[in-house]
Amino acid sequence: AQKITQTQPGMFVQEKEAVTLDCTYDTSDPSYGLFWYKQPSSGEMIFLIYQGSYDQQNATEGRYSLNFQKARKSANLVISASQLGDSAMYFCAMREPIYNQGGKLIFGQGTELSVKP
Amino acid sequence: EPEVTQTPSHQVTQMGQEVILRCVPISNHLYFYWYRQILGQKVEFLVSFYNNEISEKSEIFDDQFSVERPDGSNFTLKIRSTKLEDSAMYFCASSVREGNTEAFFGQGTRLTVV
């Protein structure tokens, strides 16, 4: 079974508008962490934001926020005021349990975001 | 800002040849990883390395693969006898600890097996 599911292969958003990228996950472990990475066309992986399963508040980092709905097992990324430079592939990832032996991340399939001027 | 550095950025090799992909993790990091991404697909975990030994490996990481930290700074991935299906982007990553901390990724090495 897929551990991390990103159901939107591609998304379009108008510059300056907000966009939500969906991510659902599957785990029976109460301790886990959720991460979002951005991969521009140049190929590198850039960390954006982290949410721990025990965190009471939704994570925010500048224009990025994470809409964490634990009961629904979703961790959607919200980008406010989209910029042309936000055009990239976005990956949701999970580490479970949070202190696992190796610290590996399990990635979703990714969502390609295109920002229109 | 400290970063993970990978060399080379692109490598082309003949099927059956050995390749070594090199990485310099961030200096105070203790956990090291290799991931791969076949073109257009998701990022897949290969192996994690801590305290000079493998912590965990995926089923992809078979006997053809090995990792090494030959000195205090480099972290290498060796593929002994490359196959066409090994063609992918290979990412090295490091983190200061496991748990609630992000892994920092290098820019990747694109391996093309012909």
Side-chain angles (χ1 to χ4, degrees):
Chain A
Q2 289 271 24
K3 288 278 191 179
I4 295 277
T5 304
Q6 294 179 254
T7 56
Q8 306 152 314
M11 290 276 289
F12 288 93
V13 65
Q14 205 66 41
E15 195 179 6
K16 298 179 187 172
E17 297 197 343
V19 63
T20 299
L21 306 184
D22 294 343
C23 173
T24 57
Y25 58 91
D26 181 29
T27 181
S28 55
D29 201 297
S31 166
Y32 52 90
L34 297 155
F35 302 77
W36 277 91
Y37 282 84
K38 172 183 177 182
Q39 186 179 41
S41 57
S42 48
E44 73 269 30
M45 297 284 286
I46 302 166
F47 167 74
L48 295 178
I49 197 166
Y50 162 81
Q51 179 84 43
S53 59
Y54 293 121
D55 294 344
Q56 297 294 316
Q57 307 262 15
N58 284 348
T60 59
E61 287 285 348
R63 292 188 299 112
Y64 304 108
S65 60
L66 204 151
N67 183 1
F68 181 46
Q69 297 189 45
K70 198 168 179 177
R72 299 176 68 178
K73 293 188 176 176
S74 75
N76 299 338
L77 177 70
V78 180
I79 306 174
S80 63
S82 298
Q83 301 171 356
L84 296 178
D86 294 335
S87 293
M89 185 73 91
Y90 289 80
F91 289 98
C92 180
M94 179 170 68
R95 177 178 289 146
E96 51 102 35
I98 190 65
Y99 289 97
N100 72 36
Q101 185 183 0
K104 77 178 183 188
L105 294 170
I106 303 166
F107 284 83
Q109 308 93 312
T111 295
E112 182 151 19
L113 177 67
S114 298
V115 181
K116 296 185 195 178
Chain B
E1 188 174 319
E3 59 181 16
V4 177
T5 306
Q6 289 186 244
T7 54
S9 55
H10 190 190
Q11 176 142 9
V12 181
T13 189
Q14 296 267 348
M15 191 169 56
Q17 294 294 304
E18 174 183 287
V19 294
I20 297 176
L21 309 183
R22 302 181 192 280
C23 169
V24 179
I26 295 173
S27 61
N28 64 331
H29 285 189
L30 300 177
Y31 292 82
F32 313 111
Y33 313 89
W34 284 100
Y35 290 83
R36 80 171 185 192
Q37 184 182 29
I38 294 171
L39 188 62
Q41 298 188 23
K42 66 179 178 182
V43 179
E44 300 173 293
F45 169 78
L46 291 178
V47 66
S48 58
F49 193 85
Y50 169 71
N51 201 24
N52 281 322
E53 60 182 24
I54 290 174
S55 305
E56 188 175 1
K57 59 184 181 180
S58 72
E59 58 192 25
I60 302 168
F61 194 88
D62 61 21
D63 292 344
Q64 292 298 314
F65 291 88
S66 62
V67 288
E68 201 175 41
R69 194 142 194 257
D71 52 42
S73 58
N74 290 287
F75 180 51
T76 62
L77 175 69
K78 183 194 291 186
I79 310 175
R80 286 191 185 81
S81 178
T82 49
K83 304 188 278 284
L84 294 176
E85 53 265 38
D86 293 327
S87 294
M89 180 78 96
Y90 287 81
F91 290 102
C92 174
S94 70
S95 59
V96 65
R97 61 182 185 275
E98 56 179 356
N100 60 341
T101 184
E102 68 272 28
F104 290 85
F105 282 73
Q107 79 280 22
T109 293
R110 181 165 296 286
L111 177 66
T112 304
V113 182
V114 296

